[in-house]
Amino acid sequence: TKQNVYRVWSSQMIKKAIIIGAGESLNDSVLDDLLSYNDEKIAIFSTDRTLKHVLDMGFTPDKYQMFTCITEDLIRPIDKFDFLTYFFDNDIVKKYSNDITLFTSHVFSRIKEIEEIGFKKRFDFIRHGKKGRILSNIPTINNCGNNVMGLMGFARIYEIPYISTIGFDMDKTGSWKNLQNDHEYQLTKKKLFQDYLDYGYPIYNLTTKGLIHGKGVITTTLKEFMKL
């Protein structure tokens, strides 16, 4: 199946995935501590918003397998601000883009622009419940409206046994308003628990901040996670 193609593509067996979102807990010392773990079986899954920051810190594809994800065209409707340029059109992303795997949803149409930035290893996916480019025989990912869940979907496809998050807060931060009663937040919590039931193993939140705790999620430390 196409999902098996995605799974086999990985150059080596990945044991642990670290998914890095843009919430307030990203500012904790977890990323600094993570740099001390240079293991070929650790993969870094960075959202579009955090990729430059992650590369600047020293997480580069010569040390880790690296993945990022774009779920939409990244143009803010209210003022047409171009987040694609803001996130990716810079020296450090261009330097490493050729060695970073990029997942793009069928809603994303700016293929030529992302290729010009240098991304060569690109895979499409269907974003659940959305209209976009006509594609077939590729995975459908329910990202619940956020980039971290999109990356988590691929970590599940790769059958990575231990999946953790940093900066996946969905609370009052620079990226989010209070989403506790928000539809996207409720979808995310429901999907995390359903994935736990479907796959038989949870995800691990490496910080105590935010709202992503409870059913299907184990809150722990980086040190304990790395012992798994």
Side-chain angles (χ1 to χ4, degrees), residues 216-227:
V217 180
I218 294 176
T219 302
T220 188
T221 64
L222 175 65
K223 182 177 180 180
E224 293 302 312
F225 177 71
M226 287 302 181
K227 292 178 181 178

Side-chain angles (χ1 to χ4, degrees), residues 43-152:
I44 303 297
F45 287 72
S46 175
T47 63
D48 49 9
R49 185 180 296 271
T50 59
L51 181 61
K52 181 180 183 299
H53 174 68
V54 167
L55 291 170
D56 282 334
M57 286 195 67
F59 296 95
T60 52
D62 55 325
K63 302 173 185 174
Y64 307 90
Q65 294 192 68
M66 294 192 65
F67 305 83
T68 191
C69 181
I70 301 176
T71 61
E72 56 194 1
D73 272 347
L74 296 176
I75 296 178
R76 187 163 56 199
I78 190 170
D79 60 2
K80 305 303 180 184
F81 184 83
D82 187 354
F83 281 103
L84 181 67
T85 299
Y86 182 68
F87 293 156
F88 297 117
D89 193 3
N90 54 73
D91 290 343
I92 195 162
V93 171
K94 288 180 176 179
K95 178 179 179 180
Y96 290 109
S97 57
N98 187 53
D99 296 310
I100 298 172
T101 300
L102 170 65
F103 304 118
T104 51
S105 84
H106 75 308
V107 178
F108 180 72
S109 64
R110 304 170 68 183
I111 306 300
K112 183 178 179 180
E113 293 171 67
I114 210 68
E115 289 177 347
E116 288 173 351
I117 288 172
F119 288 97
K120 304 299 182 185
K121 295 188 291 187
R122 187 181 66 81
F123 295 96
D124 286 312
F125 67 96
I126 301 294
R127 182 177 167 186
H128 175 76
K130 296 290 183 179
K131 295 180 179 180
R133 291 176 288 136
I134 304 300
L135 302 170
S136 59
N137 297 320
I138 61 174
T140 295
I141 301 290
N142 183 358
N143 74 335
C144 302
N146 66 78
N147 206 286
V148 169
M149 291 298 289
L151 289 167
M152 196 176 297

